[in-house]
Amino acid sequence: FKNIGEEFLNNMFLLVNLGGPAFDFATIQAPEGDFTPGENSIIWDWRRVRDLQILPPQSEGRVEFWVKLKNEWGLGDSSDIKTTIFLSQAKEEFVNKVNSKLALSQKGYYYDEVFGNSGPIPPRVGQVTNYTITWQVKNYYNDVKDAKVKAILPSNVNLTGKIFPDEQTDKITFDSRSREIIWNIGDLPAGRGVTEPAPNVSFQVSFVPQEDMRGEVARLIGEARVSGQDEWTGETVHSSGSSLHTDLPDDGRVPAEKGKVE
């Protein structure tokens, strides 16, 4: 804060009100101020802060506090971070827009009720084994547009053409040169997948192990990444899901040791 007038300012109080669901008020640290729970405010007075006791013309003063943000908070309210500051007769409000949060789940199965996969388990060199890959996306706080999920398939893994549900078929594309598979989700309203069903797609892949993979757990698909444009902040938001291998940690009917190529 700065005294832009021509007179000395004396015996002042500075009050900060914190608003928004993102603040974790239990983490407030204000060494020279007093925090009031419930009102979510911090006050500094001239008895403890010298710059508030007397501030000459054109001089600046400073107070500090620290607060962490939550990893998650409730839906429905504005997620903006608002800070309102009162100093003597002055008042300022600062608003920081908070990006939405995207969450992506990438899971793989051999035993499923979608396609009915076939082929040897453990997978064998030179033989085809089919697997099911499932993607699911959640969007939390703000509307997101043009959402997409992308991942890379290894050279010995290919799409069989089976996709579920059927209405997602036209939204899946594959570039045979880059080996990139893309799911064009489109627009995601705030809360999609949290307060209402999440968009998801399953697709079948075929895997043919090579000789140099014998005795190893082989990759079925690389790290998946979802991205889209937050319509409130204008920023690109994204999240990722781990790559999948033939040990299939999400399929409880396939022991890890059966993921090694024979």
Side-chain angles (χ1 to χ4, degrees):
F1 50 92
K2 182 177 181 178
N3 181 2
I4 60 174
E6 297 179 356
E7 300 180 356
F8 282 74
L9 299 178
N10 301 295
N11 301 344
M12 296 181 295
F13 293 86
L14 188 150
L15 175 69
V16 171
N17 284 327
L18 303 176
F23 285 117
D24 183 355
F25 294 110
T27 67
I28 287 277
Q29 297 181 54
E32 297 178 299
D34 295 308
F35 175 65
T36 304
E39 297 181 6
N40 300 331
S41 63
I42 308 171
I43 189 168
W44 292 263
D45 68 46
W46 58 271
R47 298 177 185 86
R48 298 174 62 184
V49 181
R50 181 175 179 83
D51 289 333
L52 294 174
Q53 185 177 24
I54 181 169
L55 191 65
Q58 304 306 312
S59 296
E60 296 183 358
R62 178 187 180 97
V63 296
E64 293 182 317
F65 70 96
W66 296 265
V67 58
K68 293 183 179 180
L69 301 184
K70 301 173 184 176
N71 291 325
E72 296 183 3
W73 52 87
L75 304 180
D77 299 325
S78 171
S79 58
D80 292 346
I81 297 173
K82 296 181 181 180
T83 309
T84 306
I85 303 172
F86 301 87
L87 175 62
S88 188
Q89 302 301 314
K91 176 185 175 182
E92 291 286 350
E93 182 176 82
F94 302 92
V95 178
N96 295 89
K97 294 181 178 181
V98 178
N99 283 332
S100 188
K101 174 184 175 182
L102 293 178
L104 171 63
S105 168
Q106 175 171 254
K107 296 183 178 181
Y109 304 91
Y110 178 79
Y111 296 101
D112 72 353
E113 299 178 358
V114 181
F115 303 123
N117 295 308
S118 61
I121 291 289
R124 296 192 182 97
V125 172
Q127 297 187 32
V128 177
T129 299
N130 294 328
Y131 297 90
T132 298
I133 309 296
T134 298
W135 286 341
Q136 185 182 79
V137 173
K138 297 179 181 180
N139 177 36
Y140 283 76
Y141 308 119
N142 308 322
D143 292 346
V144 171
K145 65 179 181 180
D146 298 329
K148 295 181 176 65
V149 178
K150 299 180 180 181
I152 301 294
L153 295 181
S155 60
N156 57 339
V157 177
N158 289 286
L159 296 175
T160 67
K162 292 184 178 181
I163 297 171
F164 180 85
D166 291 339
E167 58 265 26
Q168 297 296 328
T169 301
D170 293 339
K171 297 182 179 181
I172 294 286
T173 61
F174 179 66
D175 187 324
S176 58
R177 290 181 295 178
S178 66
R179 308 294 300 168
E180 184 175 60
I181 179 173
I182 301 175
W183 178 28
N184 295 285
I185 303 173
D187 296 341
L188 286 174
R192 185 70 189 276
V194 184
T195 58
E196 56 182 293
N200 64 86
V201 67
S202 296
F203 52 91
Q204 189 184 60
V205 297
S206 62
F207 168 59
V208 181
Q210 300 171 351
E211 182 63 37
D212 60 359
M213 297 178 176
R214 192 186 299 272
E216 303 292 335
V217 172
R219 176 174 293 190
L220 292 174
I221 190 171
E223 178 186 77
R225 184 178 179 88
V226 60
S227 63
Q229 185 178 29
D230 189 311
E231 293 200 69
W232 175 236
T233 66
E235 299 288 331
T236 298
V237 290
H238 53 81
S239 182
S240 60
S242 300
S243 59
L244 293 178
H245 297 72
T246 50
D247 54 353
L248 301 178
D250 302 301
D251 192 331
R253 298 173 63 183
V254 178
E257 61 271 15
K258 289 195 173 182
K260 295 182 178 180
V261 175
E262 292 185 342

